[in-house]
Coordinates of all heavy atoms in Angstrom, one line a residue:
K572 N 76.0 135.4 110.8 CA 77.5 135.2 110.6 C 78.0 134.4 111.8 O 78.8 133.5 111.6 CB 78.2 136.6 110.6 CG 79.6 136.5 110.2 CD 80.2 137.9 110.1 CE 81.6 137.8 109.6 NZ 82.2 139.1 109.4
E573 N 77.5 134.7 113.0 CA 77.9 133.9 114.2 C 77.5 132.5 114.1 O 78.2 131.6 114.5 CB 77.3 134.6 115.4 CG 78.0 134.2 116.7 CD 77.5 135.0 117.9 OE1 77.5 136.3 117.8 OE2 77.1 134.4 118.9
Q574 N 76.3 132.2 113.5 CA 75.8 130.9 113.3 C 76.7 130.1 112.4 O 77.0 128.9 112.6 CB 74.4 130.9 112.8 CG 73.4 130.3 113.6 CD 72.0 130.3 113.0 OE1 71.8 130.9 111.9 NE2 71.0 129.7 113.6
A575 N 77.1 130.7 111.4 CA 78.0 130.1 110.4 C 79.3 129.6 111.1 O 79.8 128.5 110.8 CB 78.3 131.0 109.2
W576 N 79.9 130.5 111.9 CA 81.1 130.1 112.6 C 80.9 129.0 113.6 O 81.7 128.1 113.7 CB 81.7 131.3 113.4 CG 82.4 132.3 112.4 CD1 82.0 133.5 112.1 CD2 83.6 132.0 111.7 NE1 82.9 134.1 111.2 CE2 83.9 133.2 111.0 CE3 84.5 131.0 111.7 CZ2 85.0 133.3 110.2 CZ3 85.6 131.1 110.8 CH2 85.9 132.2 110.1
E577 N 79.7 129.0 114.2 CA 79.4 127.9 115.1 C 79.3 126.5 114.4 O 79.7 125.5 114.8 CB 78.1 128.2 115.9 CG 78.3 129.3 117.0 CD 77.0 129.7 117.6 OE1 75.9 129.0 117.3 OE2 77.0 130.6 118.4
Q578 N 78.6 126.6 113.2 CA 78.5 125.4 112.4 C 79.9 124.9 111.9 O 80.1 123.7 111.9 CB 77.6 125.7 111.2 CG 76.1 125.7 111.6 CD 75.2 126.0 110.4 OE1 75.7 126.7 109.4 NE2 74.0 125.5 110.4
L579 N 80.7 125.8 111.5 CA 82.0 125.5 111.1 C 82.8 124.8 112.2 O 83.5 123.8 112.0 CB 82.8 126.7 110.6 CG 84.2 126.5 110.1 CD1 84.2 125.6 108.9 CD2 84.8 127.8 109.8
E580 N 82.7 125.4 113.4 CA 83.4 124.8 114.6 C 82.9 123.4 114.9 O 83.7 122.5 115.2 CB 83.2 125.7 115.8 CG 84.1 125.3 117.0 CD 84.1 126.3 118.1 OE1 84.0 127.6 117.8 OE2 84.1 125.9 119.2
R581 N 81.6 123.2 114.9 CA 81.0 121.9 115.1 C 81.5 120.9 114.0 O 81.8 119.7 114.3 CB 79.5 122.0 115.1 CG 78.9 122.5 116.4 CD 77.4 122.2 116.5 NE 76.6 122.8 115.5 CZ 76.1 124.0 115.5 NH1 76.3 124.8 116.5 NH2 75.4 124.5 114.4
G582 N 81.5 121.3 112.8 CA 82.0 120.5 111.7 C 83.5 120.1 111.9 O 83.9 119.0 111.7
T583 N 84.2 121.1 112.4 CA 85.7 120.8 112.6 C 85.8 119.8 113.7 O 86.6 118.9 113.6 CB 86.4 122.2 113.0 OG1 86.2 123.1 111.9 CG2 87.8 121.9 113.3
H584 N 85.1 119.9 114.8 CA 85.2 119.0 115.9 C 84.7 117.6 115.5 O 85.4 116.6 115.8 CB 84.3 119.5 117.1 CG 84.9 120.6 117.8 ND1 86.1 120.6 118.4 CD2 84.4 121.9 118.0 CE1 86.4 121.8 119.0 NE2 85.3 122.6 118.7
A585 N 83.7 117.5 114.7 CA 83.2 116.2 114.2 C 84.2 115.6 113.3 O 84.5 114.3 113.4 CB 81.9 116.4 113.5
T586 N 84.9 116.3 112.5 CA 85.9 115.8 111.6 C 87.1 115.3 112.4 O 87.7 114.3 112.1 CB 86.3 116.9 110.5 OG1 85.2 117.3 109.8 CG2 87.4 116.4 109.6
Q587 N 87.5 116.1 113.4 CA 88.6 115.7 114.2 C 88.3 114.4 115.0 O 89.2 113.5 115.1 CB 89.0 116.8 115.2 CG 89.6 118.0 114.5 CD 89.8 119.2 115.4 OE1 89.1 119.3 116.4 NE2 90.8 120.1 115.1
A588 N 87.1 114.3 115.4 CA 86.7 113.1 116.2 C 86.7 111.8 115.2 O 87.2 110.8 115.6 CB 85.4 113.2 116.8
L589 N 86.2 112.0 114.0 CA 86.2 110.9 113.0 C 87.7 110.5 112.7 O 88.0 109.4 112.6 CB 85.5 111.3 111.8 CG 85.4 110.3 110.7 CD1 84.7 109.0 111.1 CD2 84.7 110.9 109.5
Y590 N 88.5 111.5 112.5 CA 89.9 111.3 112.1 C 90.6 110.5 113.3 O 91.3 109.5 113.0 CB 90.7 112.6 111.8 CG 92.1 112.4 111.5 CD1 92.5 111.9 110.3 CD2 93.1 112.6 112.4 CE1 93.8 111.7 110.0 CE2 94.4 112.4 112.2 CZ 94.8 112.0 110.9 OH 96.1 111.8 110.6
A591 N 90.4 110.9 114.5 CA 91.0 110.3 115.7 C 90.5 108.8 115.8 O 91.3 107.9 116.1 CB 90.7 111.0 116.9
S592 N 89.3 108.6 115.5 CA 88.7 107.2 115.5 C 89.4 106.4 114.5 O 89.7 105.2 114.8 CB 87.2 107.3 115.3 OG 86.7 106.0 115.2
Q593 N 89.5 106.9 113.3 CA 90.1 106.1 112.2 C 91.6 105.8 112.5 O 92.1 104.7 112.2 CB 90.0 106.9 110.9 CG 88.6 106.9 110.3 CD 88.1 105.6 109.9 OE1 88.8 104.8 109.3 NE2 86.8 105.3 110.3
Q594 N 92.2 106.8 113.1 CA 93.7 106.6 113.4 C 93.8 105.5 114.5 O 94.7 104.7 114.4 CB 94.2 108.0 113.9 CG 95.7 108.0 114.1 CD 96.2 109.3 114.5 OE1 95.5 110.2 115.0 NE2 97.5 109.6 114.1
R595 N 92.9 105.5 115.5 CA 93.0 104.4 116.5 C 92.7 103.1 115.9 O 93.4 102.1 116.2 CB 91.9 104.7 117.6 CG 92.3 105.7 118.6 CD 91.4 105.7 119.8 NE 90.0 106.1 119.4 CZ 89.5 107.3 119.3 NH1 90.3 108.3 119.5 NH2 88.2 107.5 118.9
Q596 N 91.8 103.0 114.9 CA 91.5 101.8 114.3 C 92.7 101.2 113.5 O 93.0 100.1 113.5 CB 90.3 101.9 113.3 CG 89.9 100.6 112.7 CD 88.7 100.8 111.7 OE1 88.3 101.9 111.4 NE2 88.2 99.7 111.3
V597 N 93.4 102.1 112.7 CA 94.5 101.7 112.0 C 95.7 101.3 112.9 O 96.3 100.3 112.6 CB 95.0 102.9 111.0 CG1 96.4 102.6 110.4 CG2 94.0 103.1 109.9
T598 N 95.9 102.0 114.0 CA 96.9 101.6 115.0 C 96.6 100.2 115.6 O 97.5 99.4 115.7 CB 97.0 102.7 116.1 OG1 97.3 103.9 115.5 CG2 98.0 102.3 117.1
Q599 N 95.3 100.0 115.9 CA 95.0 98.7 116.4 C 95.2 97.5 115.4 O 95.7 96.5 115.7 CB 93.5 98.7 116.9 CG 93.3 99.5 118.1 CD 91.8 99.7 118.4 OE1 90.9 99.4 117.6 NE2 91.5 100.2 119.6
L600 N 94.8 97.8 114.1 CA 95.1 96.8 113.1 C 96.6 96.6 112.9 O 97.0 95.4 112.7 CB 94.4 97.3 111.8 CG 92.9 97.2 111.7 CD1 92.4 97.9 110.5 CD2 92.4 95.7 111.7
A601 N 97.4 97.6 112.9 CA 98.8 97.5 112.8 C 99.4 96.6 113.9 O 100.2 95.7 113.6 CB 99.5 98.8 112.7
A602 N 98.9 96.8 115.1 CA 99.4 96.0 116.2 C 98.9 94.6 116.1 O 99.7 93.7 116.4 CB 98.9 96.6 117.5
Q603 N 97.7 94.4 115.6 CA 97.1 93.1 115.5 C 98.0 92.3 114.4 O 98.3 91.1 114.7 CB 95.7 93.2 115.0 CG 95.0 91.8 114.9 CD 93.6 92.0 114.4 OE1 93.1 93.1 114.0 NE2 92.8 90.9 114.3
V604 N 98.2 92.9 113.3 CA 99.0 92.1 112.3 C 100.4 91.9 112.7 O 101.0 90.9 112.4 CB 98.9 92.8 110.9 CG1 99.7 94.0 110.8 CG2 99.3 91.8 109.8
A605 N 101.0 92.9 113.4 CA 102.4 92.8 113.8 C 102.6 91.7 114.8 O 103.7 91.1 114.9 CB 102.9 94.1 114.4
E606 N 101.6 91.4 115.6 CA 101.7 90.3 116.7 C 101.5 88.9 116.1 O 101.8 88.0 116.9 CB 100.7 90.6 117.8 CG 101.0 91.9 118.6 CD 99.9 92.3 119.5 OE1 98.8 91.6 119.5 OE2 100.1 93.2 120.3
R607 N 101.0 88.8 114.9 CA 100.7 87.5 114.4 C 102.0 86.7 114.2 O 102.9 87.1 113.5 CB 99.9 87.6 113.1 CG 98.5 88.1 113.4 CD 97.8 88.1 112.1 NE 96.4 88.3 112.4 CZ 95.4 88.0 111.7 NH1 95.6 87.3 110.6 NH2 94.1 88.2 112.1
P608 N 102.1 85.4 114.7 CA 103.3 84.6 114.5 C 103.5 84.3 113.0 O 104.7 84.2 112.6 CB 102.9 83.3 115.3 CG 101.9 83.7 116.2 CD 101.1 84.8 115.6
T609 N 102.5 84.2 112.2 CA 102.7 83.9 110.8 C 103.4 85.1 110.1 O 104.4 84.8 109.4 CB 101.3 83.7 110.1 OG1 100.6 82.7 110.7 CG2 101.5 83.4 108.6
L610 N 103.1 86.3 110.4 CA 103.8 87.4 109.9 C 105.2 87.4 110.3 O 106.1 87.6 109.5 CB 103.1 88.8 110.3 CG 103.9 90.0 109.8 CD1 103.9 90.1 108.3 CD2 103.3 91.3 110.4
Q611 N 105.5 87.2 111.6 CA 106.8 87.2 112.1 C 107.7 86.1 111.4 O 108.8 86.3 111.0 CB 106.8 87.0 113.6 CG 106.2 88.2 114.3 CD 106.0 88.0 115.8 OE1 106.5 87.0 116.4 NE2 105.2 88.8 116.4
A612 N 107.1 84.9 111.2 CA 107.8 83.8 110.5 C 108.1 84.2 109.0 O 109.2 83.9 108.5 CB 107.0 82.5 110.6
L613 N 107.1 84.8 108.4 CA 107.3 85.1 106.9 C 108.4 86.2 106.8 O 109.2 86.2 105.9 CB 106.0 85.6 106.3 CG 104.9 84.6 106.1 CD1 103.6 85.3 105.7 CD2 105.3 83.5 105.1
L614 N 108.4 87.1 107.8 CA 109.4 88.2 107.7 C 110.8 87.6 108.0 O 111.8 87.9 107.4 CB 109.1 89.3 108.8 CG 108.0 90.2 108.4 CD1 107.7 91.1 109.6 CD2 108.5 91.1 107.3
A615 N 110.9 86.7 109.0 CA 112.2 86.0 109.3 C 112.7 85.3 108.1 O 114.0 85.3 107.9 CB 112.0 85.1 110.5
D616 N 111.8 84.6 107.4 CA 112.3 83.8 106.2 C 112.4 84.6 105.0 O 112.8 84.1 103.9 CB 111.3 82.7 106.0 CG 111.2 81.7 107.1 OD1 112.2 81.6 107.9 OD2 110.3 80.9 107.2
R617 N 112.0 85.9 105.0 CA 111.9 86.7 103.8 C 111.1 86.0 102.7 O 111.5 85.9 101.5 CB 113.3 87.1 103.3 CG 114.2 87.9 104.2 CD 113.7 89.3 104.2 NE 114.6 90.1 105.0 CZ 114.5 91.4 105.1 NH1 113.5 92.0 104.4 NH2 115.2 92.1 105.9
S618 N 110.0 85.4 103.1 CA 109.2 84.6 102.3 C 108.5 85.4 101.1 O 108.1 86.5 101.3 CB 108.1 83.9 103.1 OG 107.2 83.2 102.3
D619 N 108.4 84.7 100.0 CA 107.7 85.3 98.8 C 106.2 85.3 99.1 O 105.5 85.9 98.3 CB 108.0 84.5 97.6 CG 109.5 84.6 97.1 OD1 110.1 85.6 97.5 OD2 109.9 83.7 96.4
E620 N 105.8 84.6 100.1 CA 104.4 84.5 100.4 C 103.9 85.7 101.2 O 102.7 85.8 101.5 CB 104.1 83.2 101.2 CG 104.3 82.0 100.4 CD 104.2 80.7 101.3 OE1 103.4 80.7 102.2 OE2 104.8 79.7 100.9
L621 N 104.8 86.6 101.7 CA 104.4 87.7 102.5 C 103.4 88.6 101.9 O 102.4 89.0 102.5 CB 105.7 88.5 102.9 CG 105.5 89.7 103.9 CD1 104.7 89.3 105.1 CD2 106.8 90.3 104.2
P622 N 103.5 89.1 100.6 CA 102.5 89.9 100.0 C 101.1 89.3 100.0 O 100.1 90.0 100.2 CB 103.0 90.2 98.6 CG 104.5 90.0 98.7 CD 104.7 88.9 99.7
A623 N 101.0 88.0 99.7 CA 99.7 87.3 99.7 C 99.1 87.3 101.1 O 97.9 87.4 101.2 CB 99.9 85.9 99.1
Y624 N 100.0 87.0 102.1 CA 99.5 87.0 103.4 C 99.0 88.4 103.8 O 97.9 88.5 104.4 CB 100.7 86.6 104.4 CG 100.3 86.7 105.8 CD1 99.6 85.6 106.4 CD2 100.7 87.7 106.6 CE1 99.2 85.7 107.8 CE2 100.3 87.8 108.0 CZ 99.6 86.8 108.5 OH 99.3 86.8 109.8
L625 N 99.7 89.4 103.5 CA 99.2 90.8 103.8 C 97.9 91.1 103.1 O 97.0 91.8 103.6 CB 100.3 91.8 103.4 CG 101.6 91.7 104.2 CD1 102.6 92.7 103.7 CD2 101.3 92.0 105.7
Q626 N 97.8 90.6 101.8 CA 96.6 90.9 101.1 C 95.4 90.2 101.7 O 94.3 90.7 101.8 CB 96.7 90.4 99.6 CG 95.5 90.7 98.7 CD 95.2 92.2 98.6 OE1 96.1 93.0 98.4 NE2 94.0 92.6 98.8
D627 N 95.6 89.0 102.2 CA 94.5 88.2 102.9 C 94.1 89.0 104.1 O 92.9 89.1 104.4 CB 95.0 86.8 103.3 CG 95.0 85.9 102.1 OD1 94.5 86.2 101.0 OD2 95.7 84.8 102.2
F628 N 95.1 89.5 104.9 CA 94.7 90.3 106.0 C 94.0 91.6 105.6 O 93.0 92.0 106.2 CB 96.0 90.7 106.8 CG 95.7 91.4 108.1 CD1 95.4 90.7 109.3 CD2 95.8 92.8 108.1 CE1 95.1 91.4 110.4 CE2 95.5 93.5 109.3 CZ 95.1 92.8 110.4
R629 N 94.5 92.3 104.6 CA 93.9 93.5 104.2 C 92.4 93.3 103.7 O 91.6 94.2 103.9 CB 94.7 94.2 103.0 CG 94.3 95.6 102.7 CD 95.1 96.1 101.5 NE 94.6 95.5 100.2 CZ 93.6 96.0 99.6 NH1 92.9 97.0 100.0 NH2 93.2 95.4 98.4
D630 N 92.2 92.2 103.1 CA 90.8 91.9 102.6 C 89.8 91.9 103.7 O 88.6 92.1 103.5 CB 90.8 90.5 101.8 CG 91.5 90.6 100.5 OD1 91.7 91.7 99.9 OD2 91.8 89.5 99.9
G631 N 90.2 91.6 104.9 CA 89.3 91.6 106.0 C 89.2 92.9 106.7 O 88.6 93.0 107.8
T632 N 89.7 94.0 106.1 CA 89.7 95.3 106.7 C 89.2 96.3 105.7 O 88.9 96.0 104.6 CB 91.1 95.8 107.2 OG1 91.9 96.0 106.0 CG2 91.8 94.7 108.0
D633 N 89.1 97.6 106.1 CA 88.8 98.7 105.2 C 90.0 99.4 104.7 O 89.9 100.5 104.1 CB 87.9 99.7 106.0 CG 86.5 99.1 106.3 OD1 86.1 98.2 105.5 OD2 85.9 99.6 107.3
L634 N 91.2 98.8 104.9 CA 92.4 99.5 104.5 C 92.6 99.4 103.0 O 92.3 98.4 102.4 CB 93.6 98.9 105.3 CG 93.6 98.9 106.8 CD1 94.8 98.2 107.3 CD2 93.7 100.4 107.2
D635 N 93.2 100.5 102.5 CA 93.5 100.5 101.1 C 94.9 99.9 100.8 O 95.2 99.4 99.7 CB 93.5 101.9 100.5 CG 92.1 102.5 100.5 OD1 91.1 101.8 100.3 OD2 92.0 103.7 100.8
L636 N 95.8 100.0 101.8 CA 97.2 99.6 101.6 C 97.7 99.1 103.0 O 97.4 99.7 104.0 CB 97.9 100.8 101.2 CG 99.5 100.7 101.0 CD1 99.8 99.8 99.9 CD2 100.1 102.1 100.8
I637 N 98.6 98.1 102.9 CA 99.4 97.7 104.0 C 100.8 97.7 103.6 O 101.1 97.0 102.5 CB 99.0 96.3 104.6 CG1 97.6 96.3 105.1 CG2 100.0 95.8 105.6 CD1 97.1 94.9 105.6
L638 N 101.7 98.4 104.3 CA 103.1 98.4 104.0 C 103.8 97.8 105.2 O 103.5 98.1 106.3 CB 103.6 99.8 103.8 CG 103.3 100.5 102.5 CD1 103.9 102.0 102.6 CD2 104.0 99.8 101.4
V639 N 104.8 97.0 104.9 CA 105.8 96.5 105.9 C 107.1 97.1 105.6 O 107.6 96.9 104.5 CB 105.8 95.0 106.0 CG1 106.9 94.5 107.0 CG2 104.5 94.4 106.3
C640 N 107.7 97.8 106.5 CA 109.0 98.5 106.3 C 110.0 98.0 107.3 O 109.7 97.6 108.4 CB 108.8 100.0 106.5 SG 107.6 100.8 105.3
D641 N 111.3 98.2 106.9 CA 112.3 97.8 107.8 C 112.6 99.0 108.7 O 111.9 100.1 108.6 CB 113.6 97.4 107.0 CG 114.2 98.5 106.2 OD1 113.9 99.7 106.4 OD2 115.1 98.1 105.4
G642 N 113.6 98.9 109.6 CA 113.9 100.0 110.5 C 114.3 101.3 109.9 O 114.3 102.3 110.5
E643 N 114.8 101.2 108.7 CA 115.2 102.5 107.9 C 114.1 103.0 107.1 O 114.3 104.0 106.4 CB 116.4 102.1 107.1 CG 117.6 101.7 107.9 CD 118.8 101.3 107.0 OE1 118.6 101.3 105.8 OE2 119.8 100.9 107.6
G644 N 112.9 102.4 107.1 CA 111.7 102.9 106.4 C 111.6 102.4 105.0 O 110.8 102.8 104.2
K645 N 112.5 101.5 104.6 CA 112.5 100.8 103.3 C 111.4 99.8 103.2 O 111.2 99.0 104.1 CB 113.8 100.2 103.0 CG 113.9 99.6 101.6 CD 115.3 98.9 101.4 CE 115.2 98.2 100.1 NZ 116.4 97.4 99.9
T646 N 110.6 99.8 102.2 CA 109.5 98.9 102.0 C 110.0 97.5 101.8 O 110.8 97.2 100.9 CB 108.6 99.3 100.9 OG1 108.0 100.6 101.1 CG2 107.4 98.3 100.7
I647 N 109.5 96.6 102.6 CA 109.8 95.1 102.5 C 108.7 94.4 101.7 O 109.0 93.6 100.8 CB 110.0 94.5 103.9 CG1 111.1 95.1 104.6 CG2 110.1 93.0 103.8 CD1 111.2 94.6 106.1
A648 N 107.5 94.7 102.0 CA 106.3 94.1 101.3 C 105.2 95.0 101.4 O 105.1 95.9 102.3 CB 106.0 92.8 101.9
M649 N 104.2 94.8 100.5 CA 103.0 95.6 100.5 C 101.8 94.8 99.9 O 102.0 93.9 99.2 CB 103.2 97.0 99.7 CG 103.4 96.8 98.3 SD 103.6 98.4 97.4 CE 102.0 98.9 97.2
A650 N 100.6 95.3 100.3 CA 99.4 94.8 99.7 C 98.5 95.9 99.5 O 98.3 96.8 100.4 CB 98.8 93.7 100.6
G651 N 97.9 96.0 98.3 CA 97.0 97.1 98.0 C 97.6 98.2 97.2 O 98.7 98.1 96.8
E652 N 96.9 99.3 97.1 CA 97.4 100.5 96.4 C 97.1 101.7 97.1 O 96.2 101.9 97.9 CB 96.7 100.5 95.0 CG 97.0 99.4 94.2 CD 96.3 99.5 92.8 OE1 95.8 100.5 92.4 OE2 96.3 98.5 92.1

């Protein structure tokens, strides 16, 4: 019984480490795309090309979805599902 609890604890720690790693990766990707001048220009112009630009960026990642939201949390553009 004690062995089972130890295995569960090890599994929990491994899962938490994996989750933290994935969270860091997503945060880094968000910062990377946010800093791109092209994104900033497309947002400033409210360009219809924004979803295609986001899709091109998403294609180079493991992300399922990219959302761009305004300050109130309203979706401005998205790529993926």
Side-chain angles (χ1 to χ4, degrees):
K572 190 175 184 178
E573 198 172 306
Q574 239 181 356
W576 283 111
E577 288 173 7
Q578 285 179 327
L579 179 62
E580 189 172 325
R581 281 194 301 273
T583 299
H584 288 298
T586 301
Q587 289 171 337
L589 178 61
Y590 178 77
S592 174
Q593 290 294 317
Q594 191 173 25
R595 280 190 302 275
Q596 182 181 12
V597 168
T598 299
Q599 289 170 348
L600 287 170
Q603 182 182 8
V604 74
E606 292 172 354
R607 290 184 170 206
T609 304
L610 175 66
Q611 295 171 13
L613 292 172
L614 285 169
D616 295 342
R617 297 283 183 176
S618 174
D619 292 337
E620 296 175 26
L621 183 56
Y624 176 79
L625 295 174
Q626 184 61 47
D627 286 345
F628 183 84
R629 190 184 77 83
D630 287 344
T632 71
D633 291 333
L634 298 175
D635 295 325
L636 174 70
I637 295 178
L638 283 176
V639 176
C640 301
D641 65 14
E643 297 174 359
K645 182 180 174 189
T646 300
I647 295 173
M649 65 181 277
E652 296 180 15

